[in-house]
């Protein structure tokens, strides 16, 4: 891990510091964990607009569109025949069936119509995935470039987010379907506008050159603030994604976890294709000994944290991977892995929180879904 003097900085670093952001080391980047309070930033995203700097995420460009066919051999979800404008969430696995990362693959067109492929990966896995791609593909032939340091990525999330973004974009992002994107011109340059999200709310993301980041961020903040919008840090991003039951790498996803355990079947396409890790998923689907991911609602006010043991009577049957006090539901929630024989909706279990057993109920995921 980088030392405090070696931390990478996003193009918005100075803005965060001047706005009172509490900066922390996150995957080797100096990132704001919060500005005011996590609850305030969480609620602003649920009710109005949360502005997130996600420039620490890895961004890879492939100028050769044949990258889709090449990547299809490494992704759990088929990307070979994506149509222009589509974005797909997928996993990458190692040869042993462990999850290397969860990623987004974009197939877009430049303003002049030239097709290209883009990939967004987790900050903590950027170098690992770059190496994995280098070991398995001819990156020079695919026109690969790591664009992380040359670009910025801004997420505008919340029920008022799309209308605010539309005030600076030539085309309203409402016209994009979920998990699609396109290039637009903003302040004289080409930007990628996508509609994915990691909060459970509607919204969009902008990928743009680093030197335009402050101008775009400031313009959006000036428009969002009168509507109740706030900058939001990593703390609120985590509570929001947990309410939406979105898995986080290093918690619900890692190299010791088989995708069959995580209950994200939409990101796994097995039929009529081969990819690294496929056989491990097939084996995992029928392995009754593999723990499975569940949602948990706890009694009382104490939140469970990662690694808290889960019990039925005196037998440990699992472990918490993520937990928090939900600002929206006003109760403690958690996700974890438990024995498949126990994973029944409505089942009561106990979570050990610092030596005290707290009752919890297995519940259907997600914990929170926005009104459609």
């Amino acid at each position: 891990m980088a030392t405090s003097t070696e931390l990478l900085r996003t193009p918005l670093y100075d803005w965060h510091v001047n706005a009172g952001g509490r900066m922390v080391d996150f995957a080797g980047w100096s990132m704001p964990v919060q500005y005011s309070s996590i609850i305030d930033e969480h609620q602003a995203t649920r009710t109005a607009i949360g502005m997130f700097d996600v420039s620490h995420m890895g961004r890879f460009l492939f100028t050769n569109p044949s990258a889709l066919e090449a990547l299809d051999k490494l992704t759990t979800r088929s990307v070979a025949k994506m149509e222009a404008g589509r974005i797909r969430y997928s996993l990458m696995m190692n040869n042993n069936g462990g999850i290397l990362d969860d990623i987004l693959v974009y197939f877009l067109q430049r303003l002049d119509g030239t097709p290209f492929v883009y990939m967004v990966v987790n900050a903590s896995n950027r170098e690992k995935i770059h190496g994995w791609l280098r070991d398995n593909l001819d990156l020079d032939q695919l026109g690969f470039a790591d664009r992380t340091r040359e670009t910025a990525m801004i997420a505008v999330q919340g029920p008022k987010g799309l209308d605010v973004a539309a005030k600076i974009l030539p085309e309203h992002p409402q016209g994009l379907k979920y998990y699609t994107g396109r290039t637009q011109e903003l302040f004289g340059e080409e930007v990628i506008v996508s509609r994915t999200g990691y909060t459970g709310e509607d919204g969009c993301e902008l990928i743009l050159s680093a030197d335009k980041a402050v101008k775009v961020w400031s313009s959006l903040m000036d428009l969002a603030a009168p509507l109740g919008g706030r900058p939001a840090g990593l703390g609120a991003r985590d509570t929001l994604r947990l309410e939406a039951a979105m898995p986080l790498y290093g918690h619900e996803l890692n190299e010791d976890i088989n995708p069959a355990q995580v209950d994200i079947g939409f990101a796994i396409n097995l039929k009529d294709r081969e990819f690294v890790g496929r056989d491990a998923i097939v084996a995992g689907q029928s392995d009754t000994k593999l723990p499975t991911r569940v949602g948990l609602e706890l009694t009382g006010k104490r939140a469970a944290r990662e690694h808290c043991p889960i019990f039925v009577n005196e037998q440990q049957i699992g472990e918490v991977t993520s937990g928090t006090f939900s600002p929206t539901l006003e109760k403690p929630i958690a996700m974890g892995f438990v024995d498949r024989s126990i994973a029944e909706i409505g089942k009561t279990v106990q979570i050990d929180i610092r030596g005290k057993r707290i009752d919890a109920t297995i519940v259907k995921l997600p914990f929170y879904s926005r009104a459609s």
Side-chain angles (χ1 to χ4, degrees), residues 140-176:
D140 290 337
Q141 191 271 333
L142 297 177
F144 174 88
D146 184 344
R147 298 282 292 156
T148 308
R149 302 298 299 277
E150 291 77 32
T151 58
M153 189 170 183
I154 297 168
V156 186
Q157 294 286 292
K160 301 178 183 178
L162 291 180
D163 287 338
V164 161
K167 293 183 184 298
I168 67 169
L169 292 170
E171 297 178 40
H172 201 304
Q174 187 75 49
L176 293 171

Short mmCIF file of all heavy atoms in Angstrom, two decimals, residues 140-176:
data_model
loop_
_atom_site.label_atom_id
_atom_site.label_comp_id
_atom_site.label_asym_id
_atom_site.label_seq_id
_atom_site.Cartn_x
_atom_site.Cartn_y
_atom_site.Cartn_z
N ASP A 140 -1.44 -4.77 -27.53
CA ASP A 140 -1.03 -3.84 -28.59
C ASP A 140 -1.96 -3.96 -29.79
O ASP A 140 -2.39 -2.95 -30.37
CB ASP A 140 0.41 -4.13 -29.01
CG ASP A 140 1.43 -3.75 -27.95
OD1 ASP A 140 1.09 -2.89 -27.11
OD2 ASP A 140 2.53 -4.32 -27.96
N GLN A 141 -2.30 -5.19 -30.14
CA GLN A 141 -3.19 -5.40 -31.29
C GLN A 141 -4.59 -4.85 -31.01
O GLN A 141 -5.29 -4.43 -31.93
CB GLN A 141 -3.24 -6.89 -31.60
CG GLN A 141 -3.92 -7.24 -32.92
CD GLN A 141 -5.43 -7.46 -32.78
OE1 GLN A 141 -5.91 -7.84 -31.71
NE2 GLN A 141 -6.16 -7.21 -33.85
N LEU A 142 -4.97 -4.82 -29.75
CA LEU A 142 -6.31 -4.34 -29.38
C LEU A 142 -6.35 -2.84 -29.11
O LEU A 142 -7.41 -2.30 -28.80
CB LEU A 142 -6.81 -5.10 -28.15
CG LEU A 142 -7.00 -6.61 -28.34
CD1 LEU A 142 -7.43 -7.26 -27.03
CD2 LEU A 142 -7.99 -6.92 -29.45
N GLY A 143 -5.22 -2.17 -29.22
CA GLY A 143 -5.19 -0.73 -29.00
C GLY A 143 -5.45 -0.34 -27.57
O GLY A 143 -6.15 0.65 -27.29
N PHE A 144 -4.86 -1.08 -26.63
CA PHE A 144 -5.12 -0.86 -25.20
C PHE A 144 -4.40 0.38 -24.67
O PHE A 144 -3.25 0.65 -25.02
CB PHE A 144 -4.67 -2.09 -24.41
CG PHE A 144 -4.76 -1.92 -22.91
CD1 PHE A 144 -5.92 -2.23 -22.23
CD2 PHE A 144 -3.67 -1.41 -22.19
CE1 PHE A 144 -6.00 -2.07 -20.86
CE2 PHE A 144 -3.75 -1.26 -20.81
CZ PHE A 144 -4.91 -1.58 -20.14
N ALA A 145 -5.08 1.10 -23.78
CA ALA A 145 -4.45 2.20 -23.04
C ALA A 145 -5.13 2.33 -21.68
O ALA A 145 -6.36 2.25 -21.59
CB ALA A 145 -4.56 3.51 -23.80
N ASP A 146 -4.32 2.48 -20.64
CA ASP A 146 -4.86 2.76 -19.31
C ASP A 146 -5.12 4.26 -19.23
O ASP A 146 -4.18 5.06 -19.21
CB ASP A 146 -3.86 2.32 -18.23
CG ASP A 146 -4.39 2.51 -16.82
OD1 ASP A 146 -5.39 3.24 -16.63
OD2 ASP A 146 -3.81 1.92 -15.89
N ARG A 147 -6.39 4.64 -19.19
CA ARG A 147 -6.77 6.06 -19.23
C ARG A 147 -7.10 6.62 -17.84
O ARG A 147 -7.61 7.74 -17.73
CB ARG A 147 -7.98 6.22 -20.15
CG ARG A 147 -7.73 5.82 -21.60
CD ARG A 147 -6.98 6.92 -22.33
NE ARG A 147 -7.83 8.10 -22.47
CZ ARG A 147 -7.37 9.35 -22.63
NH1 ARG A 147 -6.08 9.56 -22.62
NH2 ARG A 147 -8.21 10.35 -22.77
N THR A 148 -6.78 5.88 -16.80
CA THR A 148 -7.19 6.29 -15.45
C THR A 148 -6.66 7.65 -15.06
O THR A 148 -7.40 8.50 -14.56
CB THR A 148 -6.74 5.23 -14.42
OG1 THR A 148 -7.18 3.94 -14.84
CG2 THR A 148 -7.32 5.55 -13.05
N ARG A 149 -5.37 7.89 -15.26
CA ARG A 149 -4.77 9.14 -14.80
C ARG A 149 -5.09 10.32 -15.71
O ARG A 149 -5.01 11.47 -15.27
CB ARG A 149 -3.24 8.97 -14.70
CG ARG A 149 -2.77 7.86 -13.78
CD ARG A 149 -3.20 8.10 -12.33
NE ARG A 149 -2.66 9.33 -11.78
CZ ARG A 149 -1.45 9.47 -11.26
NH1 ARG A 149 -0.62 8.43 -11.23
NH2 ARG A 149 -1.05 10.62 -10.76
N GLU A 150 -5.43 10.06 -16.95
CA GLU A 150 -5.70 11.15 -17.91
C GLU A 150 -7.16 11.59 -17.89
O GLU A 150 -7.52 12.56 -18.54
CB GLU A 150 -5.33 10.71 -19.33
CG GLU A 150 -3.85 10.56 -19.58
CD GLU A 150 -3.30 9.28 -18.99
OE1 GLU A 150 -4.05 8.28 -18.93
OE2 GLU A 150 -2.12 9.28 -18.57
N THR A 151 -8.00 10.86 -17.16
CA THR A 151 -9.44 11.15 -17.17
C THR A 151 -9.97 11.28 -15.75
O THR A 151 -9.27 10.98 -14.78
CB THR A 151 -10.21 10.03 -17.89
OG1 THR A 151 -9.95 8.78 -17.25
CG2 THR A 151 -9.82 9.94 -19.36
N ALA A 152 -11.20 11.72 -15.66
CA ALA A 152 -11.93 11.77 -14.40
C ALA A 152 -13.26 11.09 -14.61
O ALA A 152 -13.73 10.94 -15.75
CB ALA A 152 -12.14 13.21 -13.94
N MET A 153 -13.89 10.65 -13.51
CA MET A 153 -15.20 10.02 -13.59
C MET A 153 -16.06 10.57 -12.46
O MET A 153 -15.68 10.52 -11.29
CB MET A 153 -15.08 8.50 -13.49
CG MET A 153 -16.36 7.74 -13.77
SD MET A 153 -16.04 5.96 -13.92
CE MET A 153 -17.68 5.36 -14.33
N ILE A 154 -17.20 11.11 -12.82
CA ILE A 154 -18.12 11.74 -11.87
C ILE A 154 -19.46 11.02 -11.93
O ILE A 154 -20.01 10.81 -13.01
CB ILE A 154 -18.32 13.24 -12.21
CG1 ILE A 154 -17.00 14.00 -12.08
CG2 ILE A 154 -19.40 13.87 -11.33
CD1 ILE A 154 -17.05 15.41 -12.68
N ALA A 155 -19.97 10.62 -10.76
CA ALA A 155 -21.28 9.97 -10.69
C ALA A 155 -22.29 10.94 -10.08
O ALA A 155 -22.07 11.47 -8.99
CB ALA A 155 -21.20 8.70 -9.85
N VAL A 156 -23.37 11.17 -10.80
CA VAL A 156 -24.47 12.04 -10.35
C VAL A 156 -25.63 11.12 -10.02
O VAL A 156 -26.26 10.55 -10.92
CB VAL A 156 -24.86 13.06 -11.44
CG1 VAL A 156 -25.89 14.04 -10.91
CG2 VAL A 156 -23.63 13.79 -11.96
N GLN A 157 -25.93 10.95 -8.74
CA GLN A 157 -26.90 9.96 -8.31
C GLN A 157 -28.04 10.59 -7.52
O GLN A 157 -27.83 11.53 -6.75
CB GLN A 157 -26.21 8.91 -7.44
CG GLN A 157 -25.18 8.06 -8.18
CD GLN A 157 -25.82 7.04 -9.09
OE1 GLN A 157 -26.45 6.09 -8.65
NE2 GLN A 157 -25.65 7.23 -10.39
N GLY A 158 -29.24 10.07 -7.71
CA GLY A 158 -30.39 10.56 -6.96
C GLY A 158 -31.54 10.93 -7.87
O GLY A 158 -31.37 11.09 -9.09
N PRO A 159 -32.75 11.08 -7.32
CA PRO A 159 -33.95 11.31 -8.14
C PRO A 159 -33.94 12.61 -8.94
O PRO A 159 -34.68 12.72 -9.91
CB PRO A 159 -35.09 11.29 -7.10
CG PRO A 159 -34.43 11.55 -5.78
CD PRO A 159 -33.07 10.96 -5.89
N LYS A 160 -33.12 13.58 -8.55
CA LYS A 160 -33.04 14.83 -9.30
C LYS A 160 -31.77 14.92 -10.14
O LYS A 160 -31.50 15.93 -10.78
CB LYS A 160 -33.11 16.02 -8.34
CG LYS A 160 -34.38 16.06 -7.50
CD LYS A 160 -34.37 17.22 -6.51
CE LYS A 160 -35.62 17.22 -5.62
NZ LYS A 160 -35.59 18.33 -4.63
N GLY A 161 -30.98 13.86 -10.14
CA GLY A 161 -29.67 13.89 -10.78
C GLY A 161 -29.70 14.04 -12.28
O GLY A 161 -28.93 14.81 -12.85
N LEU A 162 -30.58 13.30 -12.95
CA LEU A 162 -30.60 13.35 -14.41
C LEU A 162 -30.98 14.73 -14.92
O LEU A 162 -30.40 15.22 -15.90
CB LEU A 162 -31.57 12.31 -14.96
CG LEU A 162 -31.18 10.84 -14.79
CD1 LEU A 162 -32.25 9.94 -15.40
CD2 LEU A 162 -29.82 10.55 -15.42
N ASP A 163 -31.92 15.38 -14.26
CA ASP A 163 -32.34 16.72 -14.70
C ASP A 163 -31.23 17.74 -14.52
O ASP A 163 -31.08 18.66 -15.33
CB ASP A 163 -33.59 17.16 -13.95
CG ASP A 163 -34.84 16.41 -14.40
OD1 ASP A 163 -34.84 15.87 -15.53
OD2 ASP A 163 -35.81 16.35 -13.63
N VAL A 164 -30.44 17.59 -13.47
CA VAL A 164 -29.32 18.50 -13.26
C VAL A 164 -28.26 18.27 -14.33
O VAL A 164 -27.74 19.22 -14.92
CB VAL A 164 -28.74 18.34 -11.84
CG1 VAL A 164 -27.33 18.91 -11.75
CG2 VAL A 164 -29.64 19.03 -10.84
N ALA A 165 -27.92 17.00 -14.58
CA ALA A 165 -26.93 16.71 -15.62
C ALA A 165 -27.39 17.23 -16.98
O ALA A 165 -26.58 17.70 -17.79
CB ALA A 165 -26.67 15.21 -15.69
N ALA A 166 -28.70 17.17 -17.22
CA ALA A 166 -29.24 17.62 -18.51
C ALA A 166 -29.03 19.11 -18.73
O ALA A 166 -29.03 19.58 -19.88
CB ALA A 166 -30.72 17.29 -18.59
N LYS A 167 -28.84 19.87 -17.68
CA LYS A 167 -28.66 21.33 -17.80
C LYS A 167 -27.30 21.70 -18.39
O LYS A 167 -27.12 22.81 -18.88
CB LYS A 167 -28.85 22.00 -16.45
CG LYS A 167 -30.28 21.93 -15.92
CD LYS A 167 -30.42 22.67 -14.61
CE LYS A 167 -31.83 22.52 -14.03
NZ LYS A 167 -32.87 23.09 -14.92
N ILE A 168 -26.33 20.76 -18.35
CA ILE A 168 -25.04 21.06 -18.96
C ILE A 168 -24.75 20.17 -20.17
O ILE A 168 -23.82 20.46 -20.93
CB ILE A 168 -23.89 20.96 -17.95
CG1 ILE A 168 -23.67 19.52 -17.48
CG2 ILE A 168 -24.13 21.88 -16.75
CD1 ILE A 168 -22.39 19.33 -16.70
N LEU A 169 -25.53 19.11 -20.35
CA LEU A 169 -25.31 18.22 -21.48
C LEU A 169 -26.22 18.60 -22.65
O LEU A 169 -27.35 19.04 -22.44
CB LEU A 169 -25.60 16.77 -21.08
CG LEU A 169 -24.65 16.12 -20.08
CD1 LEU A 169 -25.20 14.79 -19.59
CD2 LEU A 169 -23.27 15.92 -20.71
N PRO A 170 -25.77 18.39 -23.89
CA PRO A 170 -26.62 18.71 -25.04
C PRO A 170 -27.82 17.78 -25.19
O PRO A 170 -28.83 18.17 -25.77
CB PRO A 170 -25.67 18.59 -26.23
CG PRO A 170 -24.56 17.71 -25.76
CD PRO A 170 -24.41 17.99 -24.30
N GLU A 171 -27.71 16.54 -24.65
CA GLU A 171 -28.82 15.59 -24.74
C GLU A 171 -29.15 15.09 -23.34
O GLU A 171 -28.26 14.74 -22.56
CB GLU A 171 -28.44 14.42 -25.63
CG GLU A 171 -28.16 14.81 -27.07
CD GLU A 171 -27.76 13.61 -27.92
OE1 GLU A 171 -28.34 12.53 -27.73
OE2 GLU A 171 -26.84 13.75 -28.74
N HIS A 172 -30.43 15.06 -23.02
CA HIS A 172 -30.87 14.64 -21.69
C HIS A 172 -30.51 13.16 -21.47
O HIS A 172 -30.86 12.31 -22.28
CB HIS A 172 -32.38 14.81 -21.56
CG HIS A 172 -32.88 14.90 -20.16
ND1 HIS A 172 -32.63 13.93 -19.21
CD2 HIS A 172 -33.61 15.87 -19.52
CE1 HIS A 172 -33.19 14.27 -18.07
NE2 HIS A 172 -33.77 15.44 -18.22
N PRO A 173 -29.83 12.86 -20.37
CA PRO A 173 -29.48 11.45 -20.11
C PRO A 173 -30.67 10.56 -19.86
O PRO A 173 -30.55 9.33 -19.85
CB PRO A 173 -28.56 11.53 -18.89
CG PRO A 173 -28.87 12.84 -18.25
CD PRO A 173 -29.27 13.76 -19.36
N GLN A 174 -31.86 11.14 -19.66
CA GLN A 174 -33.08 10.34 -19.52
C GLN A 174 -33.31 9.49 -20.76
O GLN A 174 -33.96 8.44 -20.70
CB GLN A 174 -34.28 11.27 -19.28
CG GLN A 174 -35.58 10.54 -18.95
CD GLN A 174 -35.59 10.01 -17.53
OE1 GLN A 174 -35.26 10.74 -16.60
NE2 GLN A 174 -35.96 8.75 -17.35
N GLY A 175 -32.75 9.93 -21.89
CA GLY A 175 -32.90 9.18 -23.13
C GLY A 175 -32.10 7.89 -23.17
O GLY A 175 -32.31 7.07 -24.06
N LEU A 176 -31.19 7.73 -22.23
CA LEU A 176 -30.41 6.50 -22.14
C LEU A 176 -31.16 5.48 -21.29
O LEU A 176 -31.64 5.80 -20.21
CB LEU A 176 -29.04 6.78 -21.50
CG LEU A 176 -28.05 7.63 -22.27
CD1 LEU A 176 -26.85 7.96 -21.39
CD2 LEU A 176 -27.60 6.91 -23.54
#
